[in-house]
Amino acid sequence: MRIAVCGKFKSGKTSLLNLLFGLELPVQAVTATRLVTRIIKGNGSYMETEDGTRTKLATDERNQLILGENNPGQSPSAGIVVGCDSPLLGEAGEMEFWDTPGLEDTAELTEITMHALERCDLAILVFDANKFGSWCEKMTLENLQDLLGGNVVYVINRIDLLNSEEDFMHVKRSANYLLKEYGNEVVGHGHILYTSASPEKSDISMLYAFVSKLAGDGTLRQALCDIAWERRMENLRKKGVLLKKPAACPLSGQQAGTAVVLDDRQICFGRDPVQCQVLYQDGTPGVSRVHCTLVWHAGRREFVLADMNSSYGTYLDNGMRLIPGKLYFLKMGEGFYLGDVNNKVLTGSIRA
Ligand SMILES: Nc1nc2c(ncn2[C@@H]2O[C@H](COP(=O)(O)OP(=O)(O)OP(=O)(O)O)[C@@H](O)[C@H]2O)c(=O)[nH]1
Ligand SMILES: [Mg+2]
């Protein structure tokens, strides 16, 4: 399960994650978080570069990258992975948290975050208690509700900066009023958690309790993932992409433009007519005889893509090159290409 922590610039996203997981990711009053940081079960910090390799990072290097100090022009598809041993991440591979750049800061950062949200199952949307209730936030609420089928919980942070109990009651009333429409049956409607991630006086007990519940309840996680998946399908369907059976659609080669249904079978892409179901003419630039394989993993509801040691490599949409033989999980609608961007393949599903 992928959980994105998102919200406006400087609402306290990274501070909350630091408190939750005992991390020391950089929080600075001025510089913006520029990259998505994935907190996963494990240890060490890594940079995930576009060629698919993970490079171990020293803490200083990691922090500079997160704040975009080292390389401001870095690609948005690059990301940081931070390993952590917290029980709040369940067993290895079960849950991960994505710390995202602030929404509505710059168009570039908002796009990085929205792209991340499309691939997540649940969002934790963080507000600043002192600026809460601006109606421009309404747009973010609507977008997230639509994108994740209501799999959103709300954190109202910086409650330590409210001056009085009266102010707190006022924020609570506004929040209940504004958020009651959002959410869904499983996560609750207007599920609001009040926090302070102040270095002096922190209180994240409500957030901690929510995340603990999630970590300990596989049935709840599955129900949320099902909702996110259904919604992802629906959104893709609205875009005219798909329905029903998982399929791959090569945009070049001999089956260009046709959807090849996967069912339970693994399909192979390449120039060898004996071994490959999706064929490319001999001499197609970038395509090997047996290039890559794709199979539908019904349990995970994801495609599994593997490069078969091809000469020119297999790439994800974001330009990341696959490590030969390693399995990569693609959500419905995520694509890849063989050796050259001209050999793009879309994934999706079609009516049986
Ligand atoms: N008083 C108070 N300060 C907070 C709280 N949460 C965060 N801060 C401070 O606000 C500043 C920004 O916090 P961050 O955690 O970096 O905020 P962010 O949402 O991750 O920021 P971006 O990722 O850059 O959008 C830091 O100086 C934090 O110490 C809070 O609840 N109360
Ligand atoms: Mg941050």
Side-chain angles (χ1 to χ4, degrees):
M1 181 178 206
R2 297 165 175 179
I3 300 158
V5 177
C6 59
K8 268 193 168 167
F9 180 57
K10 297 294 162 211
S11 48
K13 302 175 286 294
T14 308
S15 304
L16 287 166
L17 285 165
N18 277 344
L19 286 169
L20 208 48
F21 296 110
L23 293 169
E24 290 182 346
L25 300 173
V27 288
Q28 281 188 10
V30 186
T31 333
T33 302
R34 300 185 59 84
L35 286 177
V36 172
T37 302
R38 290 168 50 206
I39 300 168
I40 65 169
K41 192 95 175 180
N43 47 49
S45 299
Y46 300 86
M47 170 85 178
E48 259 184 348
T49 54
E50 280 148 57
D51 67 0
T53 47
R54 274 191 190 178
T55 324
K56 199 156 175 36
L57 293 172
T59 308
D60 284 359
E61 287 175 296
R62 176 196 76 188
N63 293 353
Q64 282 174 359
L65 282 165
I66 290 175
L67 296 172
E69 286 169 355
N70 226 5
N71 178 11
Q74 73 220 168
S75 156
S77 55
I80 308 283
V81 179
V82 176
C84 160
D85 196 25
S86 169
L88 294 176
L89 293 167
E91 299 294 322
E94 273 182 356
M95 286 166 77
E96 56 182 74
F97 281 74
W98 292 18
D99 185 14
T100 63
L103 285 165
E104 300 162 33
D105 182 13
T106 66
E108 182 212 344
L109 295 183
T110 302
E111 194 183 315
I112 295 172
T113 299
M114 288 314 288
H115 181 64
L117 283 163
E118 279 170 14
R119 291 176 294 144
C120 282
D121 303 299
L122 172 75
I124 296 178
L125 179 56
V126 183
F127 296 99
D128 180 337
N130 292 276
K131 296 179 195 148
F132 178 73
S134 77
W135 286 93
C136 70
E137 280 162 351
K138 188 94 178 146
M139 185 78 121
T140 309
L141 291 172
E142 294 288 339
N143 282 343
L144 276 189
Q145 177 76 14
D146 183 52
L147 199 63
L148 295 169
N151 278 356
V152 188
V153 293
Y154 307 92
V155 164
I156 301 202
N157 190 37
R158 291 176 182 264
I159 53 166
D160 57 302
L161 295 177
L162 295 171
N163 291 323
S164 61
E165 189 59 25
E166 208 172 293
D167 282 356
F168 191 21
M169 291 314 290
H170 176 71
V171 169
K172 276 188 168 169
R173 271 197 302 274
S174 318
N176 286 335
Y177 178 72
L178 181 66
L179 300 173
K180 66 177 190 281
E181 312 271 307
Y182 300 101
N184 60 37
E185 298 284 296
V186 177
V187 81
H189 289 277
H191 188 143
I192 307 167
L193 312 168
Y194 294 91
T195 60
S196 158
S198 140
E200 290 83 35
K201 200 177 146 208
S202 64
D203 177 3
I204 59 154
S205 51
M206 288 182 86
L207 178 63
Y208 190 93
F210 172 73
V211 175
S212 301
K213 182 168 155 55
L214 216 51
D217 190 342
T219 316
L220 174 62
R221 287 202 305 272
Q222 189 61 52
L224 291 168
C225 287
D226 284 350
I227 292 173
W229 188 78
E230 289 295 339
R231 181 49 63 103
R232 208 169 281 128
M233 295 287 288
E234 209 177 307
N235 287 339
L236 287 168
R237 218 155 45 220
K238 274 192 216 150
K239 287 186 197 161
V241 186
L242 27 114
L243 190 65
K244 298 286 189 247
K245 287 205 168 197
C249 179
L251 298 184
S252 68
Q254 297 186 11
Q255 284 116 303
T258 22
V260 181
V261 174
L262 274 87
D263 286 321
D264 295 330
R265 67 181 177 151
Q266 172 171 290
I267 57 171
C268 192
F269 294 73
R271 304 192 326 265
D272 181 348
V274 178
Q275 295 184 68
C276 300
Q277 292 74 39
V278 178
L279 276 170
Y280 294 80
Q281 260 113 11
D282 271 335
T284 307
V287 180
S288 293
R289 286 187 64 74
V290 178
H291 197 107
C292 61
T293 60
L294 188 71
V295 67
W296 174 247
H297 190 306
R300 286 180 67 130
R301 293 176 178 164
E302 287 178 321
F303 293 92
V304 188
L305 175 67
D307 178 79
M308 301 296 284
N309 218 1
S310 65
S311 307
Y312 294 96
T314 306
Y315 296 80
L316 300 182
D317 270 348
N318 63 11
M320 185 173 112
R321 185 171 179 166
L322 271 57
I323 297 165
K326 191 176 158 193
L327 304 182
Y328 290 79
F329 292 91
L330 271 61
K331 298 231 187 251
M332 247 323 146
E334 291 180 346
F336 60 94
Y337 57 88
L338 283 61
D340 185 302
V341 276
N342 289 318
N343 303 318
K344 195 168 162 51
V345 179
L346 304 177
T347 70
S349 68
I350 56 162
R351 263 174 229 284

